[in-house]
Amino acid sequence: MKILVINAGSSSLKYQIIDMKGEKLLCKGIVERIGFPGSMLEHKIRDEKYKITQKMDNHTDALNFMLNILTSKEYGVIKDVNEIEAVGHRVLMSGEDFDSSVVIDDNVIKVCRKNSIYGPLHMPAQTDCIEACGQIMPDIPMVAVFDNTFHSTMPPKAFMYAIPYEDYQNYKLRKYGFHGTSHKYVSQKAIKYLGKENSRMITCHLGNGSSLAAVVNGKCIDTSMGLTPLEGLIMGTRSGDIDPMVLDLLVKHKGMSLDEALDSLNKKSGFLGICGVNDFRDVVHLAEGGNKRAALCLDMFQYRIKKYIGSYYAIMGGLDAIVFTGGIGENSAIGRKVIMEGLEHLGIDFDFEANNQLKKGKFAELHKPSSKVKVLVIPTNEELVIARDTQELVKNK
Ligand code: AMP
């Protein structure tokens, strides 16, 4: 079964075709600047990369162009669109309407539109993309795989906010969590590695956006992101946890509109706000060169993560494994080092030497043999989770 995986952003569209026989990646790519001058498609087959510019005004144009490329003689990997047996769409948010991936029908589209209030940047584009895809390929089944549903096993004491209960009832204001496909993928891999279903682990997805999840016996019991991806850790441009009264001061004293203040917390804070760069590599580079703000930023980054690790350790009553994944978690030895320093009291005997030696993006064990807690690096594969869920649901349809 060949599955097309689609991950749409507000002005971008990432895609992969995966042949589920052997879970083989046939090609991947990204359409960027949709609706803006200079829109283009970057397409990769094996190690060859192609960049093709093309005017694309909306996601329908982008999908049509992508399908032309996928079936073209020059760049194609399929002869005909009908070789695609199913399409898996990444969707930001299911609200409380679904607690797992679902086959898309009119009702699912309606629910996605309704839930756009929780993700006004991503959800409208993702829903447009689902509709456009349905129009272009009406006979091919589609599945929605949500970023939050892995966390739907959280108990109310973890997901409720202590705000008036009616606001939960009427608006479903609560913690949902994100990066679910990534936490699911790496936690399943870690369970296989540990060789037992009974396990307590903390999965650390650290990238431009970052989140931690406490996973017991394969089920999420808590996670650091909230109603939106703004809550939790300090990220590339997001503040993470903050006293909501900061907004009041930004609005009343700095003279910002509420939208501007929220934009500041989402896009101008985090690493960028503290030291002027949002890429972790640049933060490290500046800190190593003696930049005090960058050093502070690194310190804040590791401190916040340690606080979450400590609290998850406490609620799980112990820990079998910590798993690193995401751009920083997989690739940054210094990122992992600053987080693991000083956690010996939790039974973590981290192998700093092995950490230094680790080549980019590889599976690795970074604990010493004596360590009670295993420390693993597991490269994530969110698209594969989407393809697997899609195959499963379409097969059972
Ligand atoms: P992601 O959002 O998962 O793609 O991760 C992006 C983040 O990973 C950025 O902050 C990058 O600086 C960081 N990153 C990617 N590659 C490396 C690397 N080789 N070393 C350190 N950080 C990296």
Side-chain angles (χ1 to χ4, degrees):
M1 180 184 269
K2 285 181 189 137
I3 291 180
L4 171 63
V5 175
I6 290 184
N7 178 0
S10 55
S11 64
S12 69
L13 191 159
K14 288 188 201 146
Y15 62 87
Q16 289 194 1
I17 293 193
I18 300 175
D19 188 345
M20 295 312 282
K21 206 156 80 188
E23 296 188 333
K24 197 170 149 224
L25 175 69
L26 300 185
C27 70
K28 66 188 215 176
I30 178 166
V31 188
E32 285 178 300
R33 300 188 61 79
I34 299 168
F36 294 97
S39 48
M40 54 102 94
L41 182 147
E42 197 176 296
H43 182 65
K44 199 172 165 197
I45 316 174
R46 287 175 294 275
D47 290 331
E48 286 168 66
K49 231 186 211 175
Y50 308 92
K51 277 187 185 171
I52 312 147
T53 49
Q54 165 82 15
K55 186 173 178 301
M56 288 172 272
D57 288 333
N58 49 44
H59 282 81
T60 308
D61 287 356
L63 277 168
N64 275 320
F65 187 59
M66 176 199 78
L67 290 171
N68 282 341
I69 293 293
L70 292 177
T71 51
S72 70
K73 269 217 170 92
E74 206 174 349
Y75 313 106
V77 290
I78 49 174
K79 289 205 179 76
D80 189 279
V81 170
N82 290 318
E83 275 184 49
I84 298 170
E85 286 176 72
V87 182
H89 289 271
R90 178 183 189 171
V91 181
L92 181 74
M93 197 29 177
S94 70
E96 285 192 339
D97 295 286
F98 306 114
D99 58 10
S100 60
S101 305
V102 286
V103 175
I104 296 174
D105 58 16
D106 288 348
N107 179 51
V108 173
I109 293 176
K110 224 162 82 191
V111 168
C112 288
R113 289 260 175 245
K114 179 193 77 159
N115 287 338
S116 285
I117 53 163
Y118 304 115
L121 267 181
H122 291 89
M123 293 287 291
Q126 290 173 343
T127 319
D128 287 350
C129 196
I130 289 172
E131 282 193 316
C133 207
Q135 277 157 14
I136 296 168
M137 301 187 273
D139 299 324
I140 300 175
M142 300 193 289
V143 167
V145 179
F146 302 96
D147 252 19
N148 63 301
T149 50
F150 177 66
H151 307 295
S152 63
T153 44
M154 282 187 290
K157 65 183 172 193
F159 72 67
M160 287 298 292
Y161 291 136
I163 57 176
Y165 197 77
E166 310 79 73
D167 292 339
Y168 165 65
Q169 286 175 311
N170 296 334
Y171 305 104
K172 300 290 171 210
L173 296 180
R174 48 160 282 186
K175 179 189 277 285
Y176 289 98
F178 297 89
H179 292 140
T181 47
S182 180
H183 290 291
K184 178 176 177 180
Y185 181 80
V186 299
S187 58
Q188 285 179 346
K189 281 248 169 194
I191 285 173
K192 270 205 184 130
Y193 166 88
L194 293 170
K196 53 176 189 172
E197 192 67 32
N198 266 348
S199 56
R200 296 160 298 185
M201 68 179 76
I202 300 173
T203 48
C204 311
H205 180 107
L206 308 176
N208 219 348
S210 296
S211 66
L212 258 55
V215 182
V216 176
N217 305 337
K219 299 218 170 356
C220 174
I221 63 159
D222 205 348
T223 189
S224 59
M225 283 179 167
L227 172 74
T228 75
L230 184 55
E231 190 179 334
L233 306 179
I234 294 168
M235 309 177 218
T237 64
R238 297 188 192 115
S239 63
D241 295 337
I242 207 156
D243 183 338
M245 285 305 283
V246 166
L247 285 173
D248 183 66
L249 266 94
L250 289 176
V251 169
K252 288 193 188 139
H253 297 278
K254 196 173 172 186
M256 285 175 149
S257 69
L258 181 61
D259 278 349
E260 283 168 346
L262 286 170
D263 198 59
S264 175
L265 293 185
N266 271 301
K267 298 197 188 139
K268 296 174 187 151
S269 299
F271 306 159
L272 184 65
I274 295 295
C275 66
V277 291
N278 68 295
D279 191 296
F280 193 71
R281 283 165 290 203
D282 297 335
V283 178
V284 171
H285 183 69
L286 285 176
E288 285 173 344
N291 183 305
K292 288 207 169 77
R293 293 258 196 102
L296 170 67
C297 182
L298 259 186
D299 223 18
M300 292 166 68
F301 168 77
Q302 60 86 11
Y303 181 74
R304 178 82 50 94
I305 293 174
K306 280 195 178 93
K307 287 209 296 188
Y308 270 93
I309 289 176
S311 64
Y312 290 168
Y313 189 106
I315 59 166
M316 292 193 290
L319 190 59
D320 297 303
I322 291 189
V323 183
F324 286 107
T325 196
I328 299 171
E330 291 169 30
N331 300 306
S332 176
I334 184 136
R336 293 185 300 259
K337 171 180 165 273
V338 292
I339 295 164
M340 287 290 102
E341 270 169 348
L343 295 186
E344 301 76 19
H345 58 95
L346 297 184
I348 301 169
D349 200 354
F350 188 61
D351 189 338
F352 289 93
E353 191 49 43
N355 182 51
N356 268 340
Q357 301 297 329
L358 181 62
K359 296 263 178 326
K360 274 171 68 171
K362 282 231 167 83
F363 174 91
E365 301 165 307
L366 293 182
H367 49 271
K368 293 203 177 141
S370 57
S371 186
K372 277 198 204 135
V373 180
K374 312 283 182 227
V375 184
L376 305 171
V377 174
I378 303 183
T380 196
N381 194 339
E382 299 174 81
E383 288 76 12
L384 189 55
V385 172
I386 297 172
R388 282 177 183 166
D389 275 16
T390 302
Q391 181 185 37
E392 182 88 10
L393 281 168
V394 166
K395 261 193 350 208
N396 295 332
K397 211 175 116 181

